[in-house]
Amino acid sequence: MSLKYFQPEKECMPLEELRKLQGERLAKNFRHVYENVEYYRKRCEEAGVTPDDIKSLDDLDKIPFTCKDDLRQTYPYGLFAVPQSKVVRIHASSGTTGKQIVVGYTQDDLEIWNDCAARQLVAIGADENDIVQVAYGYGLFTGGFGVHGGATKLGCQVIPISSGNTQRQITFMQDLKSTVLACTPSYAAYLGETLHDMGLTPDDIHLKAGIFGAEPWTEEMRRDIEKSLGIKAYDIYGLTEVMGPGVSYECSEQKGMHVNEDHFIVETIDPKTGKRLPDGEKGELVFTAITKQAFPLMRFRTKDIGVLNRTPCPCGRTFVRMSKPMGRTDDMLIIRGVNVFPSQIEGVLLQNGYSPNYEIHVGRKNNTDTFEIKVEMTADKFSDVISEVNAQEKKLESALLSVLQIKAKVTLVAPKSIARSEGKAKRIIDTRKLHD
C-alpha cells in the first residue's frame, strides 16, 4: 500500500485552523508548565507573565526563553512537568561540557514522537512493506529509538543494527534487503565508501532512500551520498531537548524540512537581541513544545541557524518548512574576527572533488589565530610527488579563501588517514580554549 501522508488531517490542515490549534495548545501547555515547574514559574514571575496572559499565538513573545544553561542548572529533574511515576523513558544529550542534558517522556509523549517520525517515512515514500535499517546509535542518544519508533508505528520491518561494524551493515543490506537506511550523514558517506572498497556497487544492495540527521551536512554531501549508495537522501531534524529526530522532516520534494506544527511552534530570532525575525530571514531557531507533557520546553533556543519558508509546498503539506541548519551560534568559529562555519568548508571540499573527511585545527601563536584544514586526498587525487600535492593545496586554499574571506593553510593527507566516526563526526580541534 502506497501512502501519501501518515496523518493527512494534521499534515494538510488549513493554515487558519492550524494557527487556532497552535494557540489553544500553547495556552494549555504553558499553564501546565507554569503550574508544575517551579524553576520556570519563577522565571515567568520575574517577567510578569501568568497563564492568563497567554491566550493565542499572538502572545508567544510574552513567554521567556529557555536555554541549555537552564537545563544544566536544573539537572536532573528540575524541568520535568509530571511526577516521576508518569515518566516511562529517559534520554540524554551527548554534551561535551558539564553534565549531560537529561529529558523524560510519558507514554503519550512517545506516541507523539512515533507519529512524527512515521510522517517522515511516509513523506519519502515508505510504507509497511519497507525494511528500515536503523544505524543510528541506540541508548541515551535519541537517534536510534526515534526512527525505530516511527518505523514500528508505520508497520515496517525494523533492523535495529545500531552504528558500527560497517562491513556487517553492508552484508545485512545485501542479505536482508534493507530498503531504507537511517544514520548520520557522515556515517552514510562512510558506508558508501566502504561499499566501493568491498568491490560492490549500489546495484548490489536494495536501498531506495536514506534518512540522515544529527549533524550538519551540505547539498554537495547529499549528492555524494545519493551517488555512492544509489538512493535519495533525506534530512530529518530533532534535538534531545525538544524531542529527538522528527521535530521536522523532508518530504519527497527535498526543499526544506516540514516542522510538525501541531506539536511544535517554531520561530526565528536575532541571536543577539532575541527579537523575532520575519519568515525568510536567517536567524536562530526557537521551538516551543505544545503537546509534550513530561519535558515541554517553552521557547527553547536551539543555537541552530536557519530560515523558515511558508510558501506552499508541492507535496500538499501545510506545515512550515525550515532550511537545513546553516551552522550554529555556538560552534561558529571566529578566526581573526571572521565568522567561519564548518559547513562552508565542507561545501568547498565537495565542489572541488574532495571527500567530506577533514579536520579544522585552530590555535594561537604570538597572539594571532592559526587556521589549518587537514583534508584527505581521494584515490584519484593521491600523489607522492611533493610538487603535485603542493599545487593541489594551493588551489584548495584559493577556493576556500574566496568563500571564507580568510586564509586557511590546507594540508592534504593520505586517503583514510583521518579517523572515521560511526556517530557524529568530530571536525573541530580548537586549542585556543585551553589558554583562555
Side-chain angles (χ1 to χ4, degrees), residues 345-372:
I345 294 168
E346 188 173 287
V348 172
L349 297 183
L350 287 161
Q351 284 167 6
N352 285 271
Y354 292 88
S355 75
N357 294 306
Y358 62 95
E359 285 180 350
I360 302 165
H361 291 257
V362 186
R364 189 161 285 147
K365 188 175 182 182
N366 299 328
N367 296 319
T368 302
D369 290 340
T370 60
F371 181 23
E372 179 184 12

Side-chain angles (χ1 to χ4, degrees), residues 8-179:
E9 72 288 355
K10 306 282 179 60
E11 297 169 67
C12 304
M13 189 181 292
L15 286 178
E16 194 173 320
E17 203 177 308
L18 178 59
R19 281 184 60 85
K20 182 172 180 289
L21 177 69
Q22 283 186 309
E24 290 168 354
R25 288 181 166 179
L26 173 66
K28 183 177 178 182
N29 231 28
F30 178 76
R31 183 176 293 276
H32 169 64
V33 174
Y34 187 92
E35 291 176 351
N36 292 287
V37 181
E38 182 184 3
Y39 177 91
Y40 196 70
R41 182 168 61 251
K42 287 179 178 175
R43 172 76 61 79
C44 293
E45 287 169 353
E46 289 168 7
V49 184
T50 72
D52 293 337
D53 298 316
I54 310 302
K55 297 182 177 67
S56 71
L57 272 185
D58 296 333
D59 299 315
L60 186 63
D61 282 352
K62 299 174 184 175
I63 298 175
F65 292 116
T66 315
C67 63
K68 199 163 252 187
D69 281 346
D70 294 317
L71 279 67
R72 292 197 180 101
Q73 287 179 35
T74 54
Y75 174 90
Y77 298 131
L79 289 181
F80 281 45
V82 297
Q84 290 297 304
S85 60
K86 299 286 186 185
V87 175
V88 298
R89 191 191 299 167
I90 292 286
H91 278 288
S93 73
S94 53
T96 54
T97 58
K99 290 188 170 80
Q100 287 195 307
I101 303 304
V102 173
V103 302
Y105 298 79
T106 65
Q107 189 59 49
D108 285 344
D109 292 340
L110 291 180
E111 289 303 321
I112 289 168
W113 190 6
N114 293 343
D115 287 343
C116 290
R119 289 174 184 179
Q120 157 105 81
L121 284 157
V122 173
I124 68 169
D127 61 23
E128 72 276 13
N129 298 306
D130 278 286
I131 300 171
V132 181
Q133 184 160 324
V134 183
Y136 282 115
Y138 279 73
L140 291 173
F141 173 59
T142 55
F145 281 102
V147 178
H148 184 124
T152 301
K153 187 98 181 229
L154 184 56
C156 303
Q157 180 178 313
V158 185
I159 305 171
I161 195 168
S162 195
S163 58
N165 206 331
T166 304
Q167 290 200 2
R168 185 182 67 173
Q169 299 267 2
I170 291 167
T171 300
F172 269 43
M173 289 177 195
Q174 289 181 286
D175 296 348
L176 302 185
K177 298 181 170 50
S178 316
T179 56

Side-chain angles (χ1 to χ4, degrees), residues 398-412:
S398 177
L400 286 161
L401 177 62
S402 67
V403 171
L404 303 177
Q405 302 300 306
I406 182 173
K407 183 169 174 55
K409 172 179 167 55
V410 170
T411 303
L412 292 176

